[in-house]
Amino acid sequence: MYPSFFLAHGLPTIVTEPHGYSRFLRALGTQLPKPVGIVVFSAHWQSEVQTIGAAAEPETLHDFFGFPEELYGISYPAKGNILLAMGIGRLFDTEGIACALDDTRGLDHGVWTLLSLMHPAADVPVVHLSVNPLLVPEEQYRIGRALQALRSEGIMIVGSGGTVHHLGTMHWQDDAAELWAKQFDAWLYDRITVWDSDALFDYERRAPHAAMAVPTAEHFAPLLIAMGAADRGRRAKLLYQKYQYGTVSLGAWMFS
């Protein structure tokens, strides 16, 4: 059964600048068996109704501004998979999760930055899914849990976001992590590794510096979704943990 993953996507420059996390993602892509398909929940596609990307040839969205010009020329020409998208819709329906298909949405940078490093040939079909940051953590987890059967079919489920994602406090001169960021991630590590879902669902009250680390929920929700997709096994392993500009966590978790 294919693991599910939570992968921080950091800033788009992980694709063009030398970085340890970029090297890690490239290596991870070569170490894992080639998946049949990839399902990615991205923090940068937000919707009130769970939406499933169903474009046959999704375009590459450059949904950011103020970055080096070379980033805007990058294309990630992965195909979509309408049958997989429809299958996801049926799984959601079975669990009573309202959903919709969108056959126009392209791949945002929460998707293609990661996959261009892990699967640069773009030869694995990709289905892009939205997140609803207004849902409570239990509902985020439930969304992932609804799709866990896909893992037995060789589908890689990815939550793309960031556990610490406070852009307003970044220091651009170095990557030295703020103490509060490390303390929040350390608390997460302790709770995730023992699969303490009760604590994780209540992270806003229990975790140190939660309001600083997670000023808005859209980057945190994909972690809970990725965990839900491994609810049967409930095994977690931290594969990588560093920081970008001090307050953007570059963490990678594998769940099985």
Side-chain angles (χ1 to χ4, degrees):
M1 183 173 288
Y2 215 97
S4 63
F5 294 88
F6 173 73
L7 301 174
H9 55 252
L11 274 64
T13 49
I14 63 168
V15 177
T16 54
E17 295 178 355
H19 198 285
Y21 187 54
S22 306
R23 293 190 292 273
F24 160 77
L25 290 172
R26 290 190 184 98
L28 182 63
T30 62
Q31 293 161 6
L32 293 169
K34 185 176 179 180
V36 173
I38 303 174
V39 171
V40 185
F41 290 84
S42 171
H44 290 280
W45 184 10
Q46 299 168 41
S47 64
E48 292 186 7
V49 174
Q50 178 62 64
T51 309
I52 308 159
E57 297 185 358
E59 64 177 314
T60 303
L61 302 179
H62 301 93
D63 52 328
F64 44 77
F65 61 91
F67 285 92
E69 189 64 30
E70 61 183 316
L71 277 169
Y72 300 91
I74 293 176
S75 175
Y76 189 73
K79 303 291 186 183
N81 187 327
I82 184 60
L83 294 179
L84 176 56
M86 293 174 66
I88 290 170
R90 287 192 293 271
L91 290 172
F92 284 145
D93 288 341
T94 299
E95 295 299 320
I97 297 170
C99 63
L101 295 177
D102 184 333
D103 63 2
T104 63
R105 173 77 183 194
L107 305 180
D108 65 46
H109 78 274
V111 180
W112 64 260
T113 54
L114 297 173
L115 298 188
S116 65
L117 294 167
M118 296 178 68
H119 295 281
D123 56 354
V124 180
V126 178
V127 174
H128 183 191
L129 285 93
S130 69
V131 300
N132 179 357
L134 300 180
L135 295 179
V136 297
E138 292 91 336
E139 285 298 308
Q140 307 289 4
Y141 189 93
R142 179 171 172 246
I143 286 169
R145 189 174 61 203
L147 302 189
Q148 60 184 324
L150 294 176
R151 295 173 44 228
S152 63
E153 302 173 14
I155 304 297
M156 182 170 71
I157 299 174
V158 177
S160 172
T163 52
V164 177
H165 192 81
H166 201 308
L167 302 185
T169 56
M170 290 190 301
H171 33 88
W172 292 98
Q173 302 306 313
D174 62 75
D175 290 334
E178 294 283 353
L179 179 60
W180 58 262
K182 293 192 291 185
Q183 289 175 338
F184 178 79
D185 273 332
W187 182 89
L188 281 182
Y189 177 87
D190 289 342
R191 297 301 94 215
I192 291 172
T193 51
V194 297
W195 214 274
D196 186 353
S197 55
D198 287 342
L200 291 166
F201 293 164
D202 195 28
Y203 78 92
E204 290 178 289
R205 288 196 316 114
R206 301 195 197 184
H209 314 294
M212 283 289 287
V214 187
T216 54
E218 77 284 343
H219 277 75
F220 192 81
L223 168 67
L224 300 169
I225 294 170
M227 289 187 70
D231 181 68
R232 289 175 190 160
R234 297 192 172 194
R235 291 183 294 271
K237 183 178 182 179
L238 181 63
L239 304 179
Y240 189 93
Q241 181 65 70
K242 296 290 183 182
Y243 294 84
Q244 195 173 25
Y245 304 121
T247 63
V248 177
S249 179
L250 297 177
W253 282 92
M254 180 173 69
F255 305 116
S256 59

mmCIF file with all atom_site columns, all heavy atoms in Angstrom, residues 40-59:
data_model
loop_
_atom_site.group_PDB
_atom_site.id
_atom_site.type_symbol
_atom_site.label_atom_id
_atom_site.label_alt_id
_atom_site.label_comp_id
_atom_site.label_asym_id
_atom_site.label_entity_id
_atom_site.label_seq_id
_atom_site.pdbx_PDB_ins_code
_atom_site.Cartn_x
_atom_site.Cartn_y
_atom_site.Cartn_z
_atom_site.occupancy
_atom_site.B_iso_or_equiv
_atom_site.pdbx_formal_charge
_atom_site.auth_seq_id
_atom_site.auth_comp_id
_atom_site.auth_asym_id
_atom_site.auth_atom_id
_atom_site.pdbx_PDB_model_num
ATOM 1   N N   . VAL A 1 40 ? -3.166  15.451 -4.998  1.00 0.00 ? 40 VAL A N   1
ATOM 2   C CA  . VAL A 1 40 ? -2.556  16.505 -4.181  1.00 0.00 ? 40 VAL A CA  1
ATOM 3   C C   . VAL A 1 40 ? -3.615  17.482 -3.679  1.00 0.00 ? 40 VAL A C   1
ATOM 4   O O   . VAL A 1 40 ? -4.323  18.111 -4.466  1.00 0.00 ? 40 VAL A O   1
ATOM 5   C CB  . VAL A 1 40 ? -1.482  17.288 -4.955  1.00 0.00 ? 40 VAL A CB  1
ATOM 6   C CG1 . VAL A 1 40 ? -0.788  18.280 -4.026  1.00 0.00 ? 40 VAL A CG1 1
ATOM 7   C CG2 . VAL A 1 40 ? -0.463  16.362 -5.598  1.00 0.00 ? 40 VAL A CG2 1
ATOM 8   N N   . PHE A 1 41 ? -3.705  17.606 -2.360  1.00 0.00 ? 41 PHE A N   1
ATOM 9   C CA  . PHE A 1 41 ? -4.504  18.646 -1.723  1.00 0.00 ? 41 PHE A CA  1
ATOM 10  C C   . PHE A 1 41 ? -3.581  19.841 -1.505  1.00 0.00 ? 41 PHE A C   1
ATOM 11  O O   . PHE A 1 41 ? -2.617  19.749 -0.746  1.00 0.00 ? 41 PHE A O   1
ATOM 12  C CB  . PHE A 1 41 ? -5.037  18.172 -0.371  1.00 0.00 ? 41 PHE A CB  1
ATOM 13  C CG  . PHE A 1 41 ? -6.099  17.113 -0.442  1.00 0.00 ? 41 PHE A CG  1
ATOM 14  C CD1 . PHE A 1 41 ? -5.750  15.777 -0.557  1.00 0.00 ? 41 PHE A CD1 1
ATOM 15  C CD2 . PHE A 1 41 ? -7.443  17.461 -0.379  1.00 0.00 ? 41 PHE A CD2 1
ATOM 16  C CE1 . PHE A 1 41 ? -6.727  14.793 -0.611  1.00 0.00 ? 41 PHE A CE1 1
ATOM 17  C CE2 . PHE A 1 41 ? -8.424  16.480 -0.428  1.00 0.00 ? 41 PHE A CE2 1
ATOM 18  C CZ  . PHE A 1 41 ? -8.073  15.141 -0.544  1.00 0.00 ? 41 PHE A CZ  1
ATOM 19  N N   . SER A 1 42 ? -3.878  20.950 -2.157  1.00 0.00 ? 42 SER A N   1
ATOM 20  C CA  . SER A 1 42 ? -2.991  22.112 -2.072  1.00 0.00 ? 42 SER A CA  1
ATOM 21  C C   . SER A 1 42 ? -3.610  23.241 -1.261  1.00 0.00 ? 42 SER A C   1
ATOM 22  O O   . SER A 1 42 ? -4.779  23.602 -1.458  1.00 0.00 ? 42 SER A O   1
ATOM 23  C CB  . SER A 1 42 ? -2.656  22.633 -3.467  1.00 0.00 ? 42 SER A CB  1
ATOM 24  O OG  . SER A 1 42 ? -1.972  23.875 -3.382  1.00 0.00 ? 42 SER A OG  1
ATOM 25  N N   . ALA A 1 43 ? -2.799  23.828 -0.385  1.00 0.00 ? 43 ALA A N   1
ATOM 26  C CA  . ALA A 1 43 ? -3.229  24.978 0.413   1.00 0.00 ? 43 ALA A CA  1
ATOM 27  C C   . ALA A 1 43 ? -3.615  26.167 -0.444  1.00 0.00 ? 43 ALA A C   1
ATOM 28  O O   . ALA A 1 43 ? -4.333  27.065 0.018   1.00 0.00 ? 43 ALA A O   1
ATOM 29  C CB  . ALA A 1 43 ? -2.103  25.384 1.368   1.00 0.00 ? 43 ALA A CB  1
ATOM 30  N N   . HIS A 1 44 ? -3.166  26.186 -1.696  1.00 0.00 ? 44 HIS A N   1
ATOM 31  C CA  . HIS A 1 44 ? -3.398  27.354 -2.546  1.00 0.00 ? 44 HIS A CA  1
ATOM 32  C C   . HIS A 1 44 ? -4.625  27.232 -3.427  1.00 0.00 ? 44 HIS A C   1
ATOM 33  O O   . HIS A 1 44 ? -4.850  28.073 -4.306  1.00 0.00 ? 44 HIS A O   1
ATOM 34  C CB  . HIS A 1 44 ? -2.144  27.645 -3.367  1.00 0.00 ? 44 HIS A CB  1
ATOM 35  C CG  . HIS A 1 44 ? -1.034  28.170 -2.521  1.00 0.00 ? 44 HIS A CG  1
ATOM 36  N ND1 . HIS A 1 44 ? -0.963  29.485 -2.112  1.00 0.00 ? 44 HIS A ND1 1
ATOM 37  C CD2 . HIS A 1 44 ? 0.017   27.538 -1.939  1.00 0.00 ? 44 HIS A CD2 1
ATOM 38  C CE1 . HIS A 1 44 ? 0.095   29.651 -1.342  1.00 0.00 ? 44 HIS A CE1 1
ATOM 39  N NE2 . HIS A 1 44 ? 0.706   28.493 -1.220  1.00 0.00 ? 44 HIS A NE2 1
ATOM 40  N N   . TRP A 1 45 ? -5.420  26.186 -3.201  1.00 0.00 ? 45 TRP A N   1
ATOM 41  C CA  . TRP A 1 45 ? -6.736  26.102 -3.837  1.00 0.00 ? 45 TRP A CA  1
ATOM 42  C C   . TRP A 1 45 ? -7.749  25.947 -2.714  1.00 0.00 ? 45 TRP A C   1
ATOM 43  O O   . TRP A 1 45 ? -7.847  24.891 -2.099  1.00 0.00 ? 45 TRP A O   1
ATOM 44  C CB  . TRP A 1 45 ? -6.808  24.930 -4.799  1.00 0.00 ? 45 TRP A CB  1
ATOM 45  C CG  . TRP A 1 45 ? -8.113  24.864 -5.551  1.00 0.00 ? 45 TRP A CG  1
ATOM 46  C CD1 . TRP A 1 45 ? -9.098  25.804 -5.601  1.00 0.00 ? 45 TRP A CD1 1
ATOM 47  C CD2 . TRP A 1 45 ? -8.561  23.772 -6.375  1.00 0.00 ? 45 TRP A CD2 1
ATOM 48  N NE1 . TRP A 1 45 ? -10.135 25.382 -6.391  1.00 0.00 ? 45 TRP A NE1 1
ATOM 49  C CE2 . TRP A 1 45 ? -9.833  24.148 -6.887  1.00 0.00 ? 45 TRP A CE2 1
ATOM 50  C CE3 . TRP A 1 45 ? -8.011  22.545 -6.725  1.00 0.00 ? 45 TRP A CE3 1
ATOM 51  C CZ2 . TRP A 1 45 ? -10.556 23.301 -7.739  1.00 0.00 ? 45 TRP A CZ2 1
ATOM 52  C CZ3 . TRP A 1 45 ? -8.731  21.713 -7.558  1.00 0.00 ? 45 TRP A CZ3 1
ATOM 53  C CH2 . TRP A 1 45 ? -9.987  22.082 -8.069  1.00 0.00 ? 45 TRP A CH2 1
ATOM 54  N N   . GLN A 1 46 ? -8.461  27.001 -2.437  1.00 0.00 ? 46 GLN A N   1
ATOM 55  C CA  . GLN A 1 46 ? -9.416  27.001 -1.333  1.00 0.00 ? 46 GLN A CA  1
ATOM 56  C C   . GLN A 1 46 ? -10.838 27.129 -1.865  1.00 0.00 ? 46 GLN A C   1
ATOM 57  O O   . GLN A 1 46 ? -11.094 27.939 -2.758  1.00 0.00 ? 46 GLN A O   1
ATOM 58  C CB  . GLN A 1 46 ? -9.104  28.145 -0.367  1.00 0.00 ? 46 GLN A CB  1
ATOM 59  C CG  . GLN A 1 46 ? -7.720  28.043 0.263   1.00 0.00 ? 46 GLN A CG  1
ATOM 60  C CD  . GLN A 1 46 ? -7.313  29.310 0.981   1.00 0.00 ? 46 GLN A CD  1
ATOM 61  O OE1 . GLN A 1 46 ? -8.116  29.939 1.672   1.00 0.00 ? 46 GLN A OE1 1
ATOM 62  N NE2 . GLN A 1 46 ? -6.056  29.693 0.827   1.00 0.00 ? 46 GLN A NE2 1
ATOM 63  N N   . SER A 1 47 ? -11.724 26.320 -1.324  1.00 0.00 ? 47 SER A N   1
ATOM 64  C CA  . SER A 1 47 ? -13.124 26.361 -1.739  1.00 0.00 ? 47 SER A CA  1
ATOM 65  C C   . SER A 1 47 ? -14.002 25.893 -0.590  1.00 0.00 ? 47 SER A C   1
ATOM 66  O O   . SER A 1 47 ? -13.566 25.111 0.258   1.00 0.00 ? 47 SER A O   1
ATOM 67  C CB  . SER A 1 47 ? -13.350 25.477 -2.967  1.00 0.00 ? 47 SER A CB  1
ATOM 68  O OG  . SER A 1 47 ? -13.095 24.118 -2.660  1.00 0.00 ? 47 SER A OG  1
ATOM 69  N N   . GLU A 1 48 ? -15.238 26.359 -0.572  1.00 0.00 ? 48 GLU A N   1
ATOM 70  C CA  . GLU A 1 48 ? -16.162 25.963 0.482   1.00 0.00 ? 48 GLU A CA  1
ATOM 71  C C   . GLU A 1 48 ? -16.638 24.525 0.285   1.00 0.00 ? 48 GLU A C   1
ATOM 72  O O   . GLU A 1 48 ? -16.901 23.811 1.250   1.00 0.00 ? 48 GLU A O   1
ATOM 73  C CB  . GLU A 1 48 ? -17.353 26.917 0.533   1.00 0.00 ? 48 GLU A CB  1
ATOM 74  C CG  . GLU A 1 48 ? -16.998 28.318 1.002   1.00 0.00 ? 48 GLU A CG  1
ATOM 75  C CD  . GLU A 1 48 ? -18.217 29.192 1.180   1.00 0.00 ? 48 GLU A CD  1
ATOM 76  O OE1 . GLU A 1 48 ? -19.353 28.680 1.066   1.00 0.00 ? 48 GLU A OE1 1
ATOM 77  O OE2 . GLU A 1 48 ? -18.035 30.395 1.442   1.00 0.00 ? 48 GLU A OE2 1
ATOM 78  N N   . VAL A 1 49 ? -16.776 24.092 -0.949  1.00 0.00 ? 49 VAL A N   1
ATOM 79  C CA  . VAL A 1 49 ? -17.139 22.712 -1.263  1.00 0.00 ? 49 VAL A CA  1
ATOM 80  C C   . VAL A 1 49 ? -15.889 21.990 -1.737  1.00 0.00 ? 49 VAL A C   1
ATOM 81  O O   . VAL A 1 49 ? -15.121 22.536 -2.542  1.00 0.00 ? 49 VAL A O   1
ATOM 82  C CB  . VAL A 1 49 ? -18.231 22.662 -2.353  1.00 0.00 ? 49 VAL A CB  1
ATOM 83  C CG1 . VAL A 1 49 ? -18.496 21.219 -2.786  1.00 0.00 ? 49 VAL A CG1 1
ATOM 84  C CG2 . VAL A 1 49 ? -19.505 23.315 -1.862  1.00 0.00 ? 49 VAL A CG2 1
ATOM 85  N N   . GLN A 1 50 ? -15.662 20.801 -1.231  1.00 0.00 ? 50 GLN A N   1
ATOM 86  C CA  . GLN A 1 50 ? -14.499 20.032 -1.655  1.00 0.00 ? 50 GLN A CA  1
ATOM 87  C C   . GLN A 1 50 ? -14.524 19.844 -3.166  1.00 0.00 ? 50 GLN A C   1
ATOM 88  O O   . GLN A 1 50 ? -15.462 19.274 -3.726  1.00 0.00 ? 50 GLN A O   1
ATOM 89  C CB  . GLN A 1 50 ? -14.493 18.659 -0.974  1.00 0.00 ? 50 GLN A CB  1
ATOM 90  C CG  . GLN A 1 50 ? -13.340 17.763 -1.386  1.00 0.00 ? 50 GLN A CG  1
ATOM 91  C CD  . GLN A 1 50 ? -11.989 18.372 -1.024  1.00 0.00 ? 50 GLN A CD  1
ATOM 92  O OE1 . GLN A 1 50 ? -11.682 18.554 0.136   1.00 0.00 ? 50 GLN A OE1 1
ATOM 93  N NE2 . GLN A 1 50 ? -11.196 18.686 -2.041  1.00 0.00 ? 50 GLN A NE2 1
ATOM 94  N N   . THR A 1 51 ? -13.487 20.339 -3.832  1.00 0.00 ? 51 THR A N   1
ATOM 95  C CA  . THR A 1 51 ? -13.474 20.332 -5.292  1.00 0.00 ? 51 THR A CA  1
ATOM 96  C C   . THR A 1 51 ? -12.322 19.498 -5.815  1.00 0.00 ? 51 THR A C   1
ATOM 97  O O   . THR A 1 51 ? -11.227 19.480 -5.245  1.00 0.00 ? 51 THR A O   1
ATOM 98  C CB  . THR A 1 51 ? -13.394 21.776 -5.841  1.00 0.00 ? 51 THR A CB  1
ATOM 99  O OG1 . THR A 1 51 ? -14.410 22.571 -5.218  1.00 0.00 ? 51 THR A OG1 1
ATOM 100 C CG2 . THR A 1 51 ? -13.605 21.804 -7.335  1.00 0.00 ? 51 THR A CG2 1
ATOM 101 N N   . ILE A 1 52 ? -12.619 18.784 -6.905  1.00 0.00 ? 52 ILE A N   1
ATOM 102 C CA  . ILE A 1 52 ? -11.691 17.823 -7.491  1.00 0.00 ? 52 ILE A CA  1
ATOM 103 C C   . ILE A 1 52 ? -11.319 18.296 -8.888  1.00 0.00 ? 52 ILE A C   1
ATOM 104 O O   . ILE A 1 52 ? -12.189 18.505 -9.736  1.00 0.00 ? 52 ILE A O   1
ATOM 105 C CB  . ILE A 1 52 ? -12.342 16.423 -7.573  1.00 0.00 ? 52 ILE A CB  1
ATOM 106 C CG1 . ILE A 1 52 ? -12.906 16.011 -6.205  1.00 0.00 ? 52 ILE A CG1 1
ATOM 107 C CG2 . ILE A 1 52 ? -11.358 15.398 -8.110  1.00 0.00 ? 52 ILE A CG2 1
ATOM 108 C CD1 . ILE A 1 52 ? -13.969 14.931 -6.307  1.00 0.00 ? 52 ILE A CD1 1
ATOM 109 N N   . GLY A 1 53 ? -10.034 18.470 -9.146  1.00 0.00 ? 53 GLY A N   1
ATOM 110 C CA  . GLY A 1 53 ? -9.597  18.888 -10.468 1.00 0.00 ? 53 GLY A CA  1
ATOM 111 C C   . GLY A 1 53 ? -9.799  17.771 -11.485 1.00 0.00 ? 53 GLY A C   1
ATOM 112 O O   . GLY A 1 53 ? -9.347  16.649 -11.286 1.00 0.00 ? 53 GLY A O   1
ATOM 113 N N   . ALA A 1 54 ? -10.483 18.093 -12.575 1.00 0.00 ? 54 ALA A N   1
ATOM 114 C CA  . ALA A 1 54 ? -10.802 17.080 -13.589 1.00 0.00 ? 54 ALA A CA  1
ATOM 115 C C   . ALA A 1 54 ? -10.359 17.495 -14.986 1.00 0.00 ? 54 ALA A C   1
ATOM 116 O O   . ALA A 1 54 ? -10.850 16.961 -15.978 1.00 0.00 ? 54 ALA A O   1
ATOM 117 C CB  . ALA A 1 54 ? -12.297 16.793 -13.571 1.00 0.00 ? 54 ALA A CB  1
ATOM 118 N N   . ALA A 1 55 ? -9.422  18.442 -15.066 1.00 0.00 ? 55 ALA A N   1
ATOM 119 C CA  . ALA A 1 55 ? -8.921  18.858 -16.378 1.00 0.00 ? 55 ALA A CA  1
ATOM 120 C C   . ALA A 1 55 ? -8.067  17.750 -16.987 1.00 0.00 ? 55 ALA A C   1
ATOM 121 O O   . ALA A 1 55 ? -7.255  17.131 -16.294 1.00 0.00 ? 55 ALA A O   1
ATOM 122 C CB  . ALA A 1 55 ? -8.102  20.140 -16.249 1.00 0.00 ? 55 ALA A CB  1
ATOM 123 N N   . ALA A 1 56 ? -8.237  17.507 -18.283 1.00 0.00 ? 56 ALA A N   1
ATOM 124 C CA  . ALA A 1 56 ? -7.455  16.470 -18.951 1.00 0.00 ? 56 ALA A CA  1
ATOM 125 C C   . ALA A 1 56 ? -5.991  16.864 -19.060 1.00 0.00 ? 56 ALA A C   1
ATOM 126 O O   . ALA A 1 56 ? -5.097  16.028 -18.906 1.00 0.00 ? 56 ALA A O   1
ATOM 127 C CB  . ALA A 1 56 ? -8.034  16.199 -20.338 1.00 0.00 ? 56 ALA A CB  1
ATOM 128 N N   . GLU A 1 57 ? -5.755  18.144 -19.317 1.00 0.00 ? 57 GLU A N   1
ATOM 129 C CA  . GLU A 1 57 ? -4.390  18.665 -19.436 1.00 0.00 ? 57 GLU A CA  1
ATOM 130 C C   . GLU A 1 57 ? -4.310  19.967 -18.633 1.00 0.00 ? 57 GLU A C   1
ATOM 131 O O   . GLU A 1 57 ? -4.342  21.058 -19.200 1.00 0.00 ? 57 GLU A O   1
ATOM 132 C CB  . GLU A 1 57 ? -4.015  18.890 -20.896 1.00 0.00 ? 57 GLU A CB  1
ATOM 133 C CG  . GLU A 1 57 ? -3.996  17.608 -21.723 1.00 0.00 ? 57 GLU A CG  1
ATOM 134 C CD  . GLU A 1 57 ? -3.516  17.834 -23.138 1.00 0.00 ? 57 GLU A CD  1
ATOM 135 O OE1 . GLU A 1 57 ? -3.224  18.993 -23.507 1.00 0.00 ? 57 GLU A OE1 1
ATOM 136 O OE2 . GLU A 1 57 ? -3.446  16.848 -23.886 1.00 0.00 ? 57 GLU A OE2 1
ATOM 137 N N   . PRO A 1 58 ? -4.198  19.868 -17.310 1.00 0.00 ? 58 PRO A N   1
ATOM 138 C CA  . PRO A 1 58 ? -4.213  21.082 -16.478 1.00 0.00 ? 58 PRO A CA  1
ATOM 139 C C   . PRO A 1 58 ? -3.020  21.989 -16.770 1.00 0.00 ? 58 PRO A C   1
ATOM 140 O O   . PRO A 1 58 ? -1.886  21.522 -16.891 1.00 0.00 ? 58 PRO A O   1
ATOM 141 C CB  . PRO A 1 58 ? -4.159  20.524 -15.050 1.00 0.00 ? 58 PRO A CB  1
ATOM 142 C CG  . PRO A 1 58 ? -3.592  19.142 -15.187 1.00 0.00 ? 58 PRO A CG  1
ATOM 143 C CD  . PRO A 1 58 ? -4.045  18.637 -16.515 1.00 0.00 ? 58 PRO A CD  1
ATOM 144 N N   . GLU A 1 59 ? -3.282  23.264 -16.879 1.00 0.00 ? 59 GLU A N   1
ATOM 145 C CA  . GLU A 1 59 ? -2.200  24.218 -17.127 1.00 0.00 ? 59 GLU A CA  1
ATOM 146 C C   . GLU A 1 59 ? -1.391  24.444 -15.851 1.00 0.00 ? 59 GLU A C   1
ATOM 147 O O   . GLU A 1 59 ? -1.832  24.130 -14.746 1.00 0.00 ? 59 GLU A O   1
ATOM 148 C CB  . GLU A 1 59 ? -2.762  25.540 -17.631 1.00 0.00 ? 59 GLU A CB  1
ATOM 149 C CG  . GLU A 1 59 ? -3.640  26.257 -16.618 1.00 0.00 ? 59 GLU A CG  1
ATOM 150 C CD  . GLU A 1 59 ? -4.111  27.602 -17.123 1.00 0.00 ? 59 GLU A CD  1
ATOM 151 O OE1 . GLU A 1 59 ? -3.285  28.367 -17.661 1.00 0.00 ? 59 GLU A OE1 1
ATOM 152 O OE2 . GLU A 1 59 ? -5.315  27.899 -16.959 1.00 0.00 ? 59 GLU A OE2 1
#
